[in-house]
Amino acid sequence: MGTIIISGTVVLVVLGFGNHIWWLAAVAVLFMYMQYGRGSSSASSSSGGSPSGAPSAATPASYKAYRDRRDRQAKWERRYRRERPLESRRQAREQSK
């Protein structure tokens, strides 16, 4: 994919000698490739997930991963309610309004 982008950029630069708009198009293509093309494949491992390349929290790879996250969240919510009963009651009252 990178080879196609680089060769396309070279073609746009060569066309740019006649019309400078093509140079802007070449810069736009390179920018889009750097922002979305190359970065999207490594975004899941660098977005705060585990360094082993596990999928990010936004896109679960399997139901087991979803269940694990859901159970972990429920555990933290139970702990919060147990440690801060007054705050959890106040929040429950605000949600019911």
Side-chain angles (χ1 to χ4, degrees):
M1 182 67 178
T3 308
I4 295 170
I5 298 297
I6 297 299
S7 61
T9 304
V10 169
V11 167
L12 289 173
V13 167
V14 169
L15 289 173
F17 288 114
N19 187 355
H20 297 296
I21 299 294
W22 292 110
W23 284 350
L24 292 174
V27 169
V29 165
L30 284 177
F31 175 76
M32 296 296 278
Y33 175 66
M34 297 298 277
Q35 242 357 70
Y36 303 108
R38 187 183 64 170
S40 65
S41 63
S42 64
S44 63
S45 62
S46 66
S47 66
S50 67
S52 64
S56 66
T59 56
S62 67
Y63 183 68
K64 183 181 181 326
Y66 160 74
R67 239 181 21 225
D68 291 342
R69 282 192 310 278
R70 183 194 62 192
D71 293 345
R72 200 174 323 122
Q73 180 68 30
K75 179 181 131 183
W76 280 104
E77 288 174 357
R78 286 191 303 269
R79 180 179 176 184
Y80 183 84
R81 284 193 304 265
R82 185 177 63 242
E83 292 178 353
R84 298 172 180 85
L86 297 176
E87 291 178 31
S88 62
R89 281 188 220 133
R90 180 184 52 80
Q91 289 175 355
R93 276 194 312 267
E94 288 176 358
Q95 284 181 349
S96 67
K97 290 183 181 180

